[in-house]
Amino acid sequence: MAFSNILPRQINYVKYIMLTLSMAFVFIMLVMPLSVILHEAFKHGLLSYIAALNNKFTLHALKLTLLTAFTAVFCNTVFGLYAAWALTRFQHKYNRLLSAVINIPFTISPVIAGLIFSMTFGRSGWVHPLLEIIHIKLLFTITAVILVTIFVTLPFIIQTVMPVLIARGIQEEEAASLMGADGFTIFRKITFPHIKWPLFYGIILCAARAMGEFGAVSVVSGHLQEKTNTLPLLIEILYNDFQMSDAFAVSTILVFLALLLLLLKSFIAAK
Amino acid sequence: MSVNNNHITIIPGYNLSIGITIFYISFIILLPLISMSITTSHMTLTQFTAVIFDKRVLASFQISIICSLTAAVINCFFGTILACILVYYKFPGRTIIDSMIELPFAIPTAVAGISLAALYSPNGYIGKIAATWGLYPAYSKAGITIALIFVTIPFVVRTIEPVLQNIDPAFKEAAFTLGAGQFTVIRKIIFPEIFPTLLLSGGLAFARAMGEYGNVIFIAGNMPYKTEIVPLLIMIKLEQFNYPQATSIAIVMLLLSFIVMFILNSLQIYYQKIITGGKN
């Protein structure tokens, strides 16, 4: 479809202008920031890099990040599948309203997401008296971090699964149901095989966002070392303490995880 | 909510799935949103306007809007070019560039933030070169804009790509055989086709850029009245436990993003009508 196919003898100057511009853009805006992370992390040698990673704060933050991401992905996957089933297999008048509500986290700034959670569960929040009765403290705990991460990543999975379910229609499920299959059998044998890869894609997007969430988490976590500090928060603390190379060393963990997810994603795209 | 009212189907699982959906949404989304209105209901209108028309708040809104708009416009330009070369041309390294586009999605905001700050600060690679020309991109509005360009580029590229793929190559071939140059083809055939989508993706990028926090704060310098963005101001009010003020600013932010979304939706409907000949 290239222009050059049509006019073989003309010099394709448009192509070269566009290529140069986009190469320059990709190099300056995307390649350089990525390489700076690696360069800064290894600036003081491999030993200090390992020392930055192998201390209890980093390891604890890594554990919390993985726990948060895993819980958020798990909850949102279960919810996303049920919600996609409810919104695509049945027609009722609240469908549009529900999908609009589900998309709210996408339009809200992460900081505002954190704000509304701390106003709900914080000391001045209206749920706080109820929580005190049952002796639960939510704000500035890991539970709050997980809750706000679930909020921020909620729409990802349902957004990747729903279009596929809508496009497929409901005839196969209806046929299976007519033949007497129960709900979970229909889901396992008919729906799931079709949405397997979109679901996996959604899970990857959700996991990437959940691991890197910063604004929202930073509001509700209270920055407590060894308690609620996830990796992005630890990076901020190190950076503000002028421990630059430590901050970049910790960043490489997240970059590595992010690149891993990108790799998985392109693997799925090939499917 | 009336159950089994206006749907006739034999597929099982309606009550269970809709029940789980509504419970989850109420707990995760609606419950926190309600508390926003509860906090503001304790405020009077004069208090609310006093917060909003505070000089520092107005300045931060101005900074956020200007930087987000600039970033959205620049991204519309580069995003279109990137989408064009990815769709129309084959060149070595195409797949690498294709997967690089997603990088800002995958890289955590804090990580991107510190690496951009390191890159553009006066002793970073690009900052050093810029300093010899007397330019200091870090800790200024230019720095904020750069960070916002970084976060929002995937939105623009990924929304324009499918539209470009769907343009019938016969139009271009016809134009070429009629003697049109390449710029004429881009201006008269490709650009009108992608213009509605370009507006849409630019608007999405703008909305996203307004709320961005992690990428920006490290490179912004965060000086009140100069480089303080709205999300950061909300954060500062929160750290002082000044919930009413933080909420007031947040409500204006939410209103802004809902207005942007509303405009985008109306635009989409308008162009949809043109495309379908006013039938739909």
Side-chain angles (χ1 to χ4, degrees):
Chain A
M1 259 206 308
F3 292 128
S4 49
N5 293 350
I6 304 149
L7 293 175
R9 266 169 297 171
Q10 192 184 351
I11 298 168
N12 209 335
Y13 53 93
V14 171
K15 176 180 174 178
Y16 290 110
I17 294 172
M18 296 219 289
L19 265 181
T20 325
L21 274 175
S22 45
M23 289 292 184
F25 183 87
V26 168
F27 182 74
I28 292 176
M29 292 307 302
L30 303 175
V31 177
M32 283 192 76
L34 192 65
S35 47
V36 158
I37 298 171
L38 291 179
H39 178 258
E40 295 277 333
F42 291 101
K43 212 160 144 186
H44 300 296
L46 194 64
L47 278 179
S48 76
Y49 174 79
I50 293 170
L53 296 192
N54 195 13
N55 71 52
K56 58 177 183 178
F57 294 128
T58 315
L59 291 178
H60 192 265
L62 175 65
K63 216 163 41 181
L64 277 191
T65 305
L66 292 179
L67 173 75
T68 309
F70 180 78
T71 321
V73 167
F74 178 77
C75 292
N76 283 338
T77 308
V78 173
F79 159 75
L81 288 176
Y82 273 113
W85 184 269
L87 294 182
T88 59
R89 306 290 94 163
F90 309 100
Q91 284 178 346
H92 45 94
K93 52 188 172 185
Y94 300 107
N95 260 356
R96 286 193 132 194
L97 181 71
L98 282 177
S99 10
V101 172
I102 287 171
N103 271 330
I104 284 179
F106 270 166
T107 49
I108 288 187
S109 163
V111 175
I112 297 181
L115 166 78
I116 59 176
F117 267 85
S118 60
M119 275 187 330
T120 315
F121 302 115
R123 188 160 289 165
S124 58
W126 59 283
V127 186
H128 191 253
L130 300 177
L131 291 174
E132 273 208 321
I133 295 172
I134 46 174
H135 298 291
I136 291 179
K137 189 177 174 297
L138 266 182
L139 199 63
F140 308 140
T141 63
I142 187 67
T143 324
V145 172
I146 292 174
L147 270 179
V148 81
T149 310
I150 289 176
F151 175 89
V152 173
T153 55
L154 189 143
F156 279 104
I157 287 170
I158 183 164
Q159 282 302 323
T160 49
V161 171
M162 248 172 73
V164 185
L165 282 180
I166 290 174
R168 290 201 50 79
I170 59 171
Q171 287 89 346
E172 287 179 51
E173 276 94 348
E174 277 179 339
S177 181
L178 270 180
M179 290 189 263
D182 65 275
F184 282 103
T185 316
I186 297 176
F187 177 77
R188 207 181 66 237
K189 297 222 163 164
I190 291 169
T191 316
F192 185 71
H194 295 306
I195 59 167
K196 196 164 49 181
W197 293 114
L199 177 68
F200 196 38
Y201 184 67
I203 286 176
I204 284 178
L205 288 180
C206 185
R209 185 67 200 273
M211 282 191 309
E213 185 45 49
F214 175 69
V217 170
S218 136
V219 176
V220 298
S221 78
H223 294 89
L224 306 171
Q225 283 275 27
E226 274 206 281
K227 260 190 174 164
T228 58
N229 249 1
T230 56
L231 282 178
L233 297 177
L234 182 69
I235 291 169
E236 188 200 13
I237 290 174
L238 289 173
Y239 188 84
N240 288 341
D241 281 350
F242 299 102
Q243 292 172 297
M244 301 290 178
S245 55
D246 285 4
F248 282 103
V250 176
S251 299
T252 53
I253 306 175
L254 283 174
V255 170
F256 172 72
L257 289 171
L259 291 180
L260 199 72
L261 289 178
L262 269 188
L263 210 70
L264 272 175
K265 202 214 77 180
S266 44
F267 169 72
I268 296 168
K271 284 267 168 189
Chain B
M1 176 154 295
S2 56
V3 167
N4 286 325
N5 183 8
N6 42 8
H7 68 96
I8 304 152
T9 178
I10 49 162
I11 298 176
Y14 177 75
N15 289 335
L16 178 67
S17 58
I18 199 80
I20 287 179
T21 309
I22 289 172
F23 173 77
Y24 195 83
I25 289 176
S26 331
F27 185 67
I28 299 284
I29 300 181
L30 296 180
L31 191 106
L33 272 180
I34 288 169
S35 45
M36 195 143 171
S37 47
I38 288 179
T39 312
T40 28
S41 66
H42 295 315
M43 294 176 79
T44 62
L45 192 67
T46 28
Q47 279 172 315
F48 180 76
T49 44
V51 174
I52 297 308
F53 290 102
D54 180 50
K55 263 189 191 159
R56 191 172 167 190
V57 178
L58 281 182
S60 72
F61 268 104
Q62 201 187 354
I63 292 159
S64 270
I65 291 174
I66 289 176
C67 292
S68 308
L69 261 184
T70 322
V73 170
I74 292 175
N75 267 345
C76 280
F77 177 72
F78 280 107
T80 312
I81 291 180
L82 275 168
C84 271
I85 65 154
L86 287 177
V87 172
Y88 290 135
Y89 299 126
K90 283 200 172 72
F91 53 92
R94 193 190 155 279
T95 38
I96 296 174
I97 289 199
D98 192 34
S99 44
M100 288 290 287
I101 300 290
E102 308 273 290
L103 208 62
F105 272 155
I107 298 263
T109 52
V111 174
I114 61 169
S115 87
L116 284 173
L119 197 59
Y120 286 93
S121 72
N123 44 15
Y125 292 111
I126 296 178
K128 241 186 243 168
I129 301 168
T132 55
W133 294 341
L135 296 172
Y136 297 95
Y139 318 124
S140 71
K141 289 195 189 68
I144 301 176
T145 314
I146 289 168
L148 293 178
I149 291 173
F150 176 83
V151 231
T152 52
I153 187 72
F155 285 93
V156 184
V157 178
R158 291 296 179 236
T159 13
I160 292 177
E161 261 187 326
V163 184
L164 284 178
Q165 267 157 357
N166 284 335
I167 299 178
D168 192 340
F171 292 146
K172 277 177 298 175
E173 281 159 26
F176 277 127
T177 46
L178 291 172
Q182 295 196 15
F183 277 117
T184 319
V185 172
I186 290 175
R187 198 161 48 90
K188 296 242 165 165
I189 292 175
I190 296 179
F191 187 70
E193 284 277 341
I194 61 169
F195 182 68
T197 321
L198 200 59
L199 269 184
L200 183 75
S201 61
L204 280 178
F206 173 76
R208 175 73 202 268
M210 282 291 290
E212 193 53 48
Y213 174 73
N215 271 296
V216 182
I217 52 161
F218 296 102
I219 200 174
N222 308 330
M223 283 167 286
Y225 301 104
K226 279 186 189 143
T227 56
E228 194 175 56
I229 53 165
V230 184
L232 178 73
L233 196 58
I234 295 177
M235 198 71 163
I236 291 171
K237 301 280 183 203
L238 268 175
E239 274 165 6
Q240 301 162 346
F241 294 103
N242 198 337
Y243 286 112
Q245 288 199 9
T247 322
S248 312
I249 304 170
I251 282 179
V252 179
M253 273 281 271
L254 281 183
L255 277 179
L256 261 177
S257 62
F258 283 139
I259 291 171
V260 171
M261 287 299 154
F262 178 74
I263 294 173
L264 289 181
N265 257 328
S266 323
L267 270 178
Q268 230 178 350
I269 293 169
Y270 173 74
Y271 281 111
Q272 200 66 40
K273 268 188 186 155
I274 293 179
I275 291 166
T276 55
K279 272 178 216 149
N280 219 332

